């Protein structure tokens, strides 16, 4: 390898002086020192680092490589690469990249991230991401590969993709869409390609952007003021909202929707957007079969409570990296600026060696300033005389020379590594190679952290959408049975309060919540003639009505995720004295959650108006419940209930 070493073509002219000085300094001693330096870096690295000599045999194997592959260094030194890859095609993909190190004089390609399937000593296959750069030691060139095991991330990605597909299907069936409104750019988008929101609003162009004004125009004129006020209130910092309103489509047909939304804030707490769900409640004819399919999709939720646990704290990683860089490469100060892909600003993320903290406010636009230029042109930039070109933030630091290295992973600029020196810089080829190596590590780390972040955000979003879907079913039922409107939410909240008073554990409360939301889900199978009857039921009709508990059990039993929530839907009409249904079990044989819930369910039914009777006053209802203590209801639950005030 001749001139230029690892520098990219653009700054060849700038390296001329250093080439000469490098020649002068070239001695056994400095080469040994650089080998020490390399080993210092490599030994402590998180990623596997493997060096290959010109004969394609392994010439260096760090501790992380031992951990990742399961081979000790002495087992692989001097051997070829084939054993490390799952197939000869995979090995060939790797060797393809290595070729660049064989022809003397050829400059290594800018770093490229490869994904290949590797194999451990015990035969386990796993995916790795790797980059290759070059390093000269004792006068010989070696290819240096940095490899990262990405098994966990790949699994998380696969799982999320499956969940996403399930969610889109569940949302289509339930007519629920999720949306996100970016206030800064006034753009409303629909998450994970959810086509349902487009259908609901009757927007046709999936690519076209929808603004807040477009949305507002589609709201029914009589509802527009109320919708606008609600959104304004949310934007001025009030609680998440929940609103029913109408929208008018192009063909002038009217749809009823239920929207739930909350604001999104950036790190500094400024409101930058809103996100929420929109539920088309126009058609209330969902069938049992539809519900069954939705419930099946809910199993995906349990799959989401997964393994994206290993979120990487990028700042910690970068600090470790900068510490190594400043000590091993004897650099006065260095920092990493991260590219914000939305605003295209490079922002300070981590730094070391600065005497003032002003550098932390660094904020430069892509293409502007030295760092912005290096990132924009994707080329390292070297400034030997900084005088007169320092930002205010760096005036007092007396820096003389500067290098900006763009951090590129998967072909995308992730940020910039900046090096500041108080004296002039005389980088040797080796020194630049180390710098490239570290920049490569930093780029991969940033890329991975960004991916974890977006995966995590995505998982949260999916979970929220599933919750909204669950609540959506409750409403679907209520719209069919107009008289129980609001009943589901009210009894859910009251049951949670009473359960807490009775000392129920938090882990149980999750099941109480789901069970209460779904308590009358079985009524979906009861014919309208009975469910909507404006008068007392005949004994035969009542028999059919009582089946709603059994229908609920059958429906939920097939869904692993909802099985623990079955107690309330199945047992909420059992009685303490054994005179209830469907099984007629008594006392403590009745699941506790169902004993608590039944008190609330009956109280709420009595306090509400029914087609066949007036609403009861709260006072009369409390007396009725008290009279059924130890008869219909668990005495201890009634005691706690009587201490609780009824809230509408
Ligand atoms: P729901 O209306 O939500 O009532 C839940 C439970 O509250 C009832 O369970 C019952 O224990 C109690 N409850 C409700 N209204 C009254 C009342 O006026 N007097 C008394 N003493 N208790 C009351 P239940 O009886 O097993 O009924 C289950 C469901 O069957 C009810 O749910 C309702 O949807 C339907 N249902 C029951 N009776 C009638 C009726 O006479 N006409 C109609 N149209 N539906 C009825
Ligand atoms: C929407 O429902 O699609 C947007 C609602 C909003 O911007 O508040
Ligand atoms: C610039 O590159 O134009 C600004 C330089 C600096 O802030 O160092
Ligand atoms: C900075 O880090 O403050 C900007 C330095 C530069 O772009 O030269
Ligand atoms: Fe019921």
């Amino acid at each position: 390898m001749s001139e230029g070493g690892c520098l990219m073509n653009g700054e060849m002219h700038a390296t001329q002086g250093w080439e000469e000085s490098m020649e002068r300094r070239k001695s056994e001693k400095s080469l040994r020192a650089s080998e020490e330096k390399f080993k210092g870096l490599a030994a402590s690295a998180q990623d596997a680092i493997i060096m290959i000599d010109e004969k394609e045999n392994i010439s260096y194997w760090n501790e992380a490589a031992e951990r990742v592959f399961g081979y000790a260094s002495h087992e692989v030194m001097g051997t070829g690469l084939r054993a490390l890859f799952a197939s000869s095609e995979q090995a060939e993909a790797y060797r393809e990249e290595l070729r660049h190190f064989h022809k003397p004089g050829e400059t290594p390609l800018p770093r490229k991230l490869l994904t290949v399937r590797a194999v451990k000593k015990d035969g386990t296959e796993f995916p790795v991401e790797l980059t290759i750069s070059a390093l000269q030691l004792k006068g010989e060139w070696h290819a240096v590969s940095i490899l990262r095991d990405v098994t966990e991330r790949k699994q998380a990605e696969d799982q999320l993709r499956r969940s996403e597909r399930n969610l889109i299907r569940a949302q289509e069936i339930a007519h629920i869409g999720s949306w996100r409104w970016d206030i800064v750019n006034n753009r409303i988008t629909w998450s994970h390609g959810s086509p349902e929101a487009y259908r609901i609003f009757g927007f046709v162009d999936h690519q076209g952007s929808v603004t807040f004004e477009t949305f507002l125009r589609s709201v029914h004129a009589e509802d527009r003021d109320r919708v606008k006020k609600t959104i304004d209130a949310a934007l001025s910092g009030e609680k998440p909202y929940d609103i029913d309103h109408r929208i008018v489509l192009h063909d002038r047909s009217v749809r009823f929707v239920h929207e739930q939304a909350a604001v999104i804030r950036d790190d500094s707490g400024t409101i930058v957007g809103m996100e929420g769900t929109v539920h088309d409640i126009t058609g209330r004819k969902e069938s049992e079969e539809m519900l069954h399919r939705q419930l099946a999709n809910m199993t995906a939720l349990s799959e989401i409570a997964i393994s994206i646990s290993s979120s990487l704290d990028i700042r910690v990683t970068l600090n470790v990296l900068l510490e190594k860089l400043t000590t091993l490469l004897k650099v006065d100060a260095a920092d990493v600026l991260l590219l914000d892909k939305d605003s295209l600003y490079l922002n300070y993320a981590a730094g070391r060696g600065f005497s003032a903290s002003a550098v932390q406010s660094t904020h430069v636009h892509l293409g502007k300033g030295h760092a912005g230029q290096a990132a924009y042109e994707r080329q390292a930039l070297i400034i030997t005389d900084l005088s007169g070109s320092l930002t205010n933030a760096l005036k007092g630091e007396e820096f003389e020379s500067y290098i900006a290295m763009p951090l590129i992973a998967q072909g995308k600029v992730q940020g910039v590594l900046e090096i500041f020196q108080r004296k002039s810089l005389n980088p040797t080829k080796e020194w630049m190679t180390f710098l490239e190596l570290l920049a490569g590590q930093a780029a991969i780390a940033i890329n991975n952290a960004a991916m974890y972040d977006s995966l995590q955000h995505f998982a949260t979003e999916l979970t929220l959408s599933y919750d909204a879907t669950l609540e959506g079913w409750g409403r679907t039922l209520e719209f069919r049975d107009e008289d129980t409107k609001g009943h589901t939410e009210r009894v859910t909240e009251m049951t949670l309060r009473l359960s807490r008073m009775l000392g129920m554990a938090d882990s149980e409360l999750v099941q109480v919540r789901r069970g209460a939301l779904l308590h009358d889900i079985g009524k979906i199978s009861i014919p309208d003639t009975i469910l909507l009857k404006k008068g007392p039921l005949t004994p035969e009709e009542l028999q059919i009505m009582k089946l709603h508990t059994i229908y609920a059990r059958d429906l939920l039993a097939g869904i692993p995720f909802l099985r623990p929530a079955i107690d309330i839907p199945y047992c909420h009409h059992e009685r303490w004295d054994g005179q209830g249904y469907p099984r007629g079990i008594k006392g403590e044989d009745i699941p506790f959650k169902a004993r608590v819930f039944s008190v609330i369910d009956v109280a709420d039914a009595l306090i509400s108006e029914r087609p066949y009777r007036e609403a009861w006053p709260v006072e009369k209802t409390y007396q009725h419940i008290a009279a059924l203590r130890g008869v219909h209801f668990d005495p201890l639950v009634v005691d706690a209930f009587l201490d609780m005030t009824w809230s509408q």
Side-chain angles (χ1 to χ4, degrees):
M1 187 113 0
S2 67
E3 296 201 344
C6 287
L7 296 178
M8 284 166 244
N9 296 328
E11 63 275 359
M12 291 283 247
H13 61 280
T15 69
Q16 232 48 217
W18 300 326
E19 290 288 293
E20 287 156 29
S21 88
M22 187 206 74
E23 290 304 318
R24 281 198 306 277
R25 287 152 173 254
K26 203 172 187 176
S27 70
E28 270 303 308
K29 194 162 166 263
S30 78
L31 280 174
R32 244 198 317 281
S34 73
E35 188 168 349
E36 287 311 307
K37 234 185 260 174
F38 172 74
K39 290 191 174 149
L41 284 174
S44 60
Q46 299 274 349
D47 297 325
I49 298 184
I50 302 175
M51 255 163 57
I52 286 105
D53 62 23
E54 292 187 15
K55 294 184 208 70
E56 289 191 7
N57 289 326
I58 295 168
S59 57
Y60 179 80
W61 186 260
N62 75 343
E63 282 164 31
E66 296 191 357
R67 213 169 44 240
V68 170
F69 284 92
Y71 293 103
S73 172
H74 68 84
E75 295 178 273
V76 290
M77 289 295 275
T79 69
L81 289 163
R82 178 60 188 88
L84 304 181
F85 295 97
S87 68
S88 42
E89 289 77 34
Q90 301 287 318
E92 191 47 40
Y94 178 78
R95 292 180 64 237
E96 184 65 30
E97 294 301 310
L98 280 183
R99 301 246 152 78
H100 300 287
F101 300 93
H102 286 227
K103 296 193 199 107
E106 187 172 336
T107 303
L109 285 183
R111 187 170 297 94
K112 186 167 142 197
L113 197 64
L114 278 185
T115 305
V116 295
R117 291 198 67 77
V119 61
K120 292 180 201 263
K121 187 182 179 183
D122 68 9
T124 321
E125 281 188 30
F126 64 106
V128 293
E129 272 176 6
L130 64 90
T131 61
I132 306 174
S133 41
L135 183 64
Q136 194 181 35
L137 292 176
K138 299 201 175 103
E140 275 185 32
W141 281 98
H142 299 260
V144 181
S145 307
I146 302 174
L147 302 93
R148 171 168 295 187
D149 180 348
V150 292
T151 309
E152 207 182 313
R153 205 190 70 211
K154 285 266 184 288
Q155 279 169 355
E157 283 170 355
D158 285 353
Q159 226 147 5
L160 278 169
R161 258 195 296 277
R162 266 203 309 280
S163 299
E164 183 189 19
R165 275 198 303 272
N166 283 336
L167 176 65
I168 290 176
R169 225 170 46 230
Q171 291 195 331
E172 274 170 15
I173 296 165
H175 302 310
I176 291 178
S178 22
W179 52 265
R180 193 182 166 95
W181 176 29
D182 167 2
I183 295 179
V184 182
N185 299 306
N186 189 13
R187 225 170 41 207
I188 296 174
T189 49
W190 283 284
S191 315
H192 19 90
S194 159
E196 193 53 27
Y198 282 98
R199 192 200 62 75
I200 294 171
F201 281 89
F203 296 137
V204 277
D205 186 4
H206 286 218
Q207 257 60 260
S209 70
V210 174
T211 63
F212 180 66
E213 290 69 31
T214 322
F215 157 72
L216 213 54
R217 267 198 303 278
S218 69
V219 174
H220 193 288
E222 286 170 24
D223 294 345
R224 204 170 288 146
D225 234 31
R226 191 169 50 91
V227 168
K228 177 106 177 25
K229 282 208 184 82
T230 307
I231 294 172
D232 286 346
L235 292 179
S236 64
E238 280 180 29
K239 290 219 165 69
Y241 69 80
D242 217 323
I243 188 173
D244 286 335
H245 65 83
R246 289 163 292 176
I247 52 177
V248 182
L249 307 192
H250 289 303
D251 64 7
R252 316 195 75 178
S253 60
V254 173
R255 275 201 178 124
F256 289 82
V257 297
H258 177 89
E259 298 216 47
Q260 279 177 292
V263 297
I264 312 167
R265 294 172 191 274
D266 67 8
D267 292 342
S268 65
T270 312
I271 294 176
V272 293
M274 296 189 69
E275 61 188 338
T277 55
V278 51
H279 183 190
D280 182 353
I281 52 180
T282 316
R284 295 161 193 172
K285 291 268 179 279
E286 284 88 340
S287 67
E288 179 184 8
E289 197 233 351
M290 164 210 92
L291 266 168
H292 208 117
R293 280 159 64 202
Q294 280 188 14
L295 285 167
N297 286 328
M298 291 299 287
T299 47
L301 185 58
S302 48
E303 288 173 21
I304 301 177
I306 37 163
S307 57
I308 320 170
S309 47
S310 47
S311 162
L312 309 170
D313 187 343
I314 186 61
R315 270 156 241 266
V316 173
T317 313
L318 293 178
N319 276 320
V320 173
L321 207 119
L322 289 174
E323 194 243 292
K324 276 190 234 159
L325 185 139
T326 49
T327 52
L328 292 165
L329 300 187
K330 302 206 171 24
V331 164
D332 289 331
D335 64 23
V336 171
L337 310 178
L338 294 184
L339 180 65
D340 175 344
K341 282 164 184 120
D342 294 324
S343 67
L344 296 183
Y345 268 97
L346 289 158
N347 299 312
Y348 174 92
R352 206 181 155 80
F354 297 93
S355 51
S357 63
V359 64
Q360 294 174 18
S361 58
T362 303
H363 177 70
V364 289
H365 199 272
L366 191 66
K368 299 274 160 55
H370 297 146
Q373 191 187 334
Y376 185 72
E377 290 170 6
R378 296 170 164 250
Q379 282 189 0
L381 181 68
I382 300 169
I383 310 285
T384 45
D385 181 10
L386 265 182
S387 55
S389 75
L390 279 178
T391 53
N392 285 335
L394 298 169
K395 281 270 158 42
E397 300 267 7
E398 300 180 338
F399 290 129
E400 197 179 314
S401 44
Y402 170 86
I403 299 181
M405 295 279 294
L407 303 175
I408 299 173
Q410 289 196 319
K412 286 182 233 129
V413 176
Q414 314 287 336
V416 173
L417 170 65
E418 295 186 299
I419 307 277
F420 298 87
Q421 211 65 323
R422 295 200 167 85
K423 51 190 182 319
S424 65
L425 259 175
N426 275 319
T428 60
K429 256 191 204 169
E430 281 81 4
W431 192 92
M432 280 309 291
T433 307
F434 293 138
L435 185 57
E436 284 242 314
L437 224 113
L438 284 169
Q441 287 242 47
I444 296 179
I446 294 165
N447 187 43
N448 276 328
M451 264 196 263
Y452 272 113
D453 271 3
S454 67
L455 280 179
Q456 212 136 34
H457 174 81
F458 187 35
T460 314
E461 206 179 300
L462 278 180
T463 312
L464 289 175
S465 299
Y466 272 113
D467 275 351
T469 305
L470 196 61
E471 284 165 21
W473 299 335
R475 276 196 309 276
T476 302
L477 251 176
E478 285 174 7
F479 279 110
R480 194 165 152 235
D481 180 7
E482 275 291 327
D483 304 311
T484 60
K485 203 163 175 176
H487 166 76
T488 307
E489 260 165 61
R490 216 163 39 235
V491 297
T492 301
E493 200 192 304
M494 297 289 286
T495 305
L496 285 170
R497 262 175 65 198
L498 185 55
S499 299
R500 276 192 208 97
M501 283 170 68
L502 288 159
M504 206 178 293
D506 283 357
S507 54
E508 297 286 287
L509 292 176
V510 176
Q511 305 305 339
V512 169
R513 180 170 182 280
R514 292 181 185 151
L517 280 172
L518 297 171
H519 74 276
D520 272 345
I521 198 79
K523 283 186 183 171
I524 205 85
S525 309
I526 305 295
D528 281 359
T529 49
I530 299 177
L531 187 69
L532 307 178
K533 185 172 174 186
K534 302 253 182 250
L537 299 180
T538 65
E540 294 75 27
E541 287 168 337
L542 202 54
Q543 273 320 108
I544 292 169
M545 183 57 107
K546 285 179 176 181
L547 292 173
H548 79 282
T549 51
I550 293 177
Y551 292 147
R553 181 202 57 188
D554 294 347
L555 205 57
L556 300 180
I559 318 301
F561 158 69
L562 291 171
R563 213 174 288 142
I566 239 168
D567 285 350
I568 290 177
Y570 185 36
C571 308
H572 70 286
H573 288 294
E574 299 289 358
R575 289 171 49 138
W576 186 255
D577 62 7
Q579 300 303 302
Y581 62 91
R583 286 178 293 170
I585 52 175
K586 63 197 272 190
E588 292 185 355
D589 288 346
I590 306 166
F592 183 56
K593 297 184 194 87
R595 279 182 266 150
V596 177
F597 177 81
S598 67
V599 174
I600 301 292
D601 185 40
V602 171
D604 188 77
L606 293 171
I607 288 169
S608 312
E609 196 185 306
R610 288 286 181 268
Y612 49 94
R613 62 154 171 77
E614 299 275 289
W616 288 22
V618 174
E619 188 61 20
K620 183 179 171 193
T621 302
Y622 269 62
Q623 283 163 9
H624 179 77
I625 301 281
L628 294 175
R629 182 182 187 278
V631 183
H632 190 143
F633 303 119
D634 178 344
L636 292 181
V637 175
V638 170
D639 291 345
F641 174 78
L642 296 174
D643 284 342
M644 187 171 82
T645 51
W646 191 259
S647 70
Q648 282 292 58

